């Protein structure tokens, strides 16, 4: 059995891609983890995972006449299986988002945990499918009221497709932020768990520049500890 998570948020730049790889690496200590860049329009997980030169990507699996095998788009990286997505507009335009269903079903056969790095915007077919295909969503938010409001919409949207919320992951938390107050509010709004609070950290940006997930680049950074705690709080049930 596999449990699939969509790592989602209302807006871009909240840290979904960073979180997907960090949670993936933490869970890979115990489980077979496959990470998929399902943000097919604004894909950039490849830059975070040293896969800039990947030959075959998710786009090749989503374009019918490219005839690629799923295995060709799976790369062993940092103890995980990683399926990057291409960054070209042509690839996105030619992709049939519906084909993600079969890709995910194939990948699920060999994994305990699937993590789908998901698009920010709601509404389009390519944005909805990762959420539909997931068992639960992880909502990545900044600890502010506007961000909570975005997160609520994502939760409602996911619920309308039968996908529940694993919890909220607060990211880029500033030292002067009253995290407890925000977590209280999140508990009231979401009725779900706060999975963790990840501090703003220079190491996260340095990891991206190095093309490595945070847990590979700076495993002892406080942000890495926070992601490990969040991964444990997910209580995965493959
Ligand atoms: P998203 O996938 O939601 O668009 P990313 O994971 O790409 O977001 O993160 C957006 C930017 O914010 C990246 O440059 C990333 O390095 C930076 N970032 C994410 N989380 C943190 C953090 N905790 N501390 C500092 N920078 C962060
Ligand atoms: Mg992203």
């Amino acid at each position: 059995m596999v449990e699939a998570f969509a790592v989602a948020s209302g807006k871009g730049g909240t840290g979904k891609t960073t979180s997907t790889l960090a949670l993936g690496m933490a869970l890979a200590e115990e489980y077979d983890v496959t990470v998929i860049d399902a943000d097919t329009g604004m894909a950039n997980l490849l830059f975070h995972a040293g896969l800039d030169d990947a030959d075959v990507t998710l786009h090749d699996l989503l374009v019918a006449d490219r005839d690629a095998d799923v295995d060709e788009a799976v790369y062993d990286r940092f103890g995980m299986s990683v399926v990057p997505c291409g960054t070209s507009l042509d690839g996105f335009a030619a992709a049939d988002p519906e084909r993600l269903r079969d890709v995910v079903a194939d990948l699920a056969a060999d994994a305990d945990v699937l993590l789908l790095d998901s698009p920010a915007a709601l509404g389009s077919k390519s944005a909805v499918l990762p959420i539909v295909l997931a068992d639960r969503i992880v909502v990545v938010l900044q600890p502010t009221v506007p961000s909570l409001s975005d997160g609520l919409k994502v939760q409602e949207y996911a619920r309308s497709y039968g996908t529940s919320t694993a919890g909220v992951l607060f990211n880029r938390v500033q030292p002067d932020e009253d995290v407890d107050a925000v977590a209280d509010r999140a508990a009231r709004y979401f009725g779900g768990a706060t999975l963790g609070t990840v501090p703003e950290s220079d190491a996260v940006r340095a990891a991206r520049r190095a093309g490595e997930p945070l847990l590979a680049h700076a495993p002892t950074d406080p942000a890495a500890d926070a992601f490990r705690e969040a991964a444990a709080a997910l209580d995965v049930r493959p």
Side-chain angles (χ1 to χ4, degrees):
M1 278 298 280
V2 66
E3 184 164 33
F5 294 90
V7 181
S9 75
K11 291 203 171 70
T14 59
K16 292 178 296 300
T17 301
T18 301
S19 302
T20 302
L21 287 166
L23 295 173
M25 273 194 72
L27 292 169
E29 300 275 322
E30 204 176 331
Y31 300 104
D32 284 334
V33 174
T34 298
V35 163
I36 306 161
D37 189 352
D39 190 355
T40 53
M42 292 291 166
N44 56 27
L45 186 140
L46 76 177
F47 302 123
H48 293 243
L51 284 166
D52 313 27
D53 296 331
D55 253 355
V56 182
T57 77
L58 181 64
H59 275 165
D60 299 295
L61 306 179
L62 300 182
V63 178
D65 60 11
R66 290 198 190 168
D67 223 16
D69 264 354
V70 172
D71 289 351
E72 293 175 69
V74 181
Y75 299 81
D76 282 336
R77 283 291 185 283
F78 308 104
M80 305 174 281
S81 297
V82 179
V83 180
C85 186
T87 56
S88 79
L89 192 55
D90 286 351
F92 175 60
D96 171 4
E98 273 294 329
R99 289 174 67 98
L100 186 66
R101 286 181 192 279
D102 289 343
V103 171
V104 165
D106 278 355
L107 293 167
D110 292 326
D112 301 319
V113 179
L114 291 183
L115 292 170
L116 295 148
D117 184 11
S118 305
L122 305 179
S124 69
K125 184 51 108 17
S126 56
V128 75
L129 261 183
I131 287 173
V132 171
L133 296 173
D135 299 299
R136 294 191 279 163
I137 55 167
V138 173
V139 186
V140 182
L141 300 178
Q142 251 117 62
T144 62
V145 169
S147 195
L148 277 177
S149 157
D150 294 346
L152 261 182
K153 256 177 290 186
V154 174
Q155 167 167 277
E156 246 179 77
Y157 186 68
R159 240 185 225 156
S160 73
Y161 290 99
T163 304
S164 60
T165 305
V168 182
L169 180 53
F170 289 112
N171 186 33
R172 308 201 73 160
V173 177
Q174 308 296 322
D176 61 353
E177 225 127 31
D178 185 348
V179 176
D180 289 342
V182 180
D184 275 357
R185 201 180 272 137
R188 259 184 289 132
Y189 280 36
F190 284 89
T194 296
L195 296 168
T197 53
V198 179
E200 175 81 22
S201 163
D202 288 343
V204 175
R205 283 187 297 273
R208 221 289 303 134
R209 282 194 296 273
E212 291 180 335
L214 174 69
L215 270 64
H217 189 77
T220 58
D221 189 74
D225 291 336
F227 277 122
R228 273 191 220 93
E229 282 172 30
L234 272 178
D235 190 21
V236 297
R237 306 184 278 262

